[in-house]
Each structure stands twice: as C-alpha cells, then as structure tokens.
Amino acid sequence: MPEYSQSYQSCGLLYPGYLNSEHPTRLQGVVNSNVCYSTNLINEKVSCQEARVKNCGGYYLYQLYKSHSKSYGFCVAQDQCTDATRLDDRWRLITNPYVSGQSKAADNSLKKGWYRLAEGHGTMPDYEPDTKYGGQSYPSYVLGELPTPDEGEVKRTARFASIASNTREIRIKNCGEHYIYWLQLLHPYPMFTA
C-alpha cells in the first residue's frame, strides 16, 4: 500500500486509500497505523481509519476495516520507476528565462503522483536558482541530496527561489539510471523545475 496521498479519483476509486505512516521493519512486528483517503479536502487526515500492519519479510500483511462506502478503497503500490509520468516540457529547464507576458506554464493541474523530469539532467536543482528562470518567476529546488540506489526512496523538501516559506514535501526515488519525484498540486504558483 502506498505511504503517501494518491490523486483524488485515482486507482479506480473516488477516494483512494494510503498508509499514513512508514511500513514497519520486520523487527517491529505488528504496528498500529492509519489508512487515510485522498479526498478533495485540504485536511485529508479527517478521513482516516485504524489499521494494523506486519512486515513478513518479502511482503506486508494488513488488517483493514470496511471502508466508509463503496467510493472509498485501498490502493496497491505500483512500480513507480516504470509508471511515472514524464514531464518533458522544455520550459522547465533552469536555463530557460521567464519572460513577462509569455503564456504561463503552470503546475496548477498537476495531480499527486510520481513524475520523471525528462529534460536537462532529469533532476531538480539542489541549489537556489535565480528568480525568473525555469520558465517561471520562482523556480523550484530541493533541499538535500539525491538518494543512492541503496537508499531507494527518500523524503525531501522542495523550495522556491526567494520564497523560503513556500515549501512542499516531496519524495525522490533512485531508479538506477534516472530519478523520479512524487509531486503534488501547486496552486497557482510556482512550478517544478528541471
């Protein structure tokens, strides 16, 4: 089961469920957790149910309870490395200047999910870029290093140039030859940069 909020109306459900914690290690045995449902509410934590999870080595065992209605359900984690949506917009390149009055590139319809930055180096900058680059006024950058293959998936924070208070929690996964990013809606500004 994914450990992060899914897009509202995804994986065949109106309100898809996700585990609201990290999966336990094998030594932890059975742990209490919550399954939350991705809704169109700002605070999804109000729509959660108790669950129990056990790490059985090569798989996890879940004790789940009946969902609120047939519109709520549980999602299965996918192979994010092969199923990530490609973002191959050239305007995302950090070398691309933003020109006032140009048609705005926007991530305000971006659904929560895994994305592969397919232009440039295929990674989000790890330094604060100058404003008005990356096709936008406030280009994004990530705090922290990219994960190694052994680390796999890590949590990081994305910031936006000159707006230190505007941050988003993201996830980055090392897929061997490329990286993918778990991103979510940004409304109305800024956008994610490569």
Side-chain angles (χ1 to χ4, degrees), residues 160-179:
F160 303 90
S162 297
I163 315 175
S165 63
N166 190 355
T167 63
R168 293 289 187 277
E169 180 181 297
I170 65 171
R171 291 171 180 256
I172 306 172
K173 185 172 183 177
N174 185 324
C175 292
E177 295 188 10
H178 65 276
Y179 294 93

Side-chain angles (χ1 to χ4, degrees), residues 41-68:
L41 300 174
I42 292 176
N43 182 6
E44 292 178 347
K45 304 298 187 257
V46 299
S47 185
C48 298
Q49 292 180 288
E50 292 180 2
R52 293 171 51 132
V53 185
K54 180 179 181 179
N55 184 330
C56 296
Y59 63 95
Y60 294 97
L61 186 63
Y62 301 90
Q63 180 181 5
L64 304 170
Y65 299 95
K66 186 176 179 182
S67 61
H68 305 300

Side-chain angles (χ1 to χ4, degrees), residues 15-177:
Y15 307 115
Y18 62 96
L19 194 64
N20 190 29
S21 65
E22 293 185 5
H23 281 81
T25 64
R26 204 158 177 194
L27 294 175
Q28 289 175 303
V30 177
V31 298
N32 293 322
S33 187
N34 285 305
V35 171
C36 294
Y37 299 93
S38 299
T39 65
N40 53 358
L41 300 174
I42 292 176
N43 182 6
E44 292 178 347
K45 304 298 187 257
V46 299
S47 185
C48 298
Q49 292 180 288
E50 292 180 2
R52 293 171 51 132
V53 185
K54 180 179 181 179
N55 184 330
C56 296
Y59 63 95
Y60 294 97
L61 186 63
Y62 301 90
Q63 180 181 5
L64 304 170
Y65 299 95
K66 186 176 179 182
S67 61
H68 305 300
S69 76
K70 65 182 180 180
S71 297
Y72 293 77
F74 308 108
C75 293
V76 177
Q78 61 184 8
D79 181 1
Q80 301 99 337
C81 290
T82 58
D83 295 336
T85 302
R86 289 175 58 94
L87 295 178
D88 53 7
D89 312 296
R90 294 202 54 79
W91 57 259
R92 292 182 189 279
L93 292 172
I94 199 63
T95 55
N96 182 31
Y98 171 77
V99 179
S100 181
Q102 74 182 15
S103 63
K104 291 185 179 175
D107 281 338
N108 60 359
S109 62
L110 188 77
K111 291 184 175 183
K112 294 176 191 172
W114 287 99
Y115 293 87
R116 179 178 177 185
L117 298 171
E119 289 294 326
H121 296 289
T123 60
M124 202 179 291
D126 60 356
Y127 58 90
E128 183 173 358
D130 292 332
T131 58
K132 301 199 184 280
Y133 276 89
Q136 58 188 303
S137 296
Y138 308 105
S140 65
Y141 64 103
V142 66
L143 300 177
E145 296 180 6
L146 292 168
T148 65
D150 290 337
E151 290 176 302
E153 182 183 318
V154 296
K155 292 180 184 178
R156 294 288 187 258
T157 300
R159 280 198 177 157
F160 303 90
S162 297
I163 315 175
S165 63
N166 190 355
T167 63
R168 293 289 187 277
E169 180 181 297
I170 65 171
R171 291 171 180 256
I172 306 172
K173 185 172 183 177
N174 185 324
C175 292
E177 295 188 10

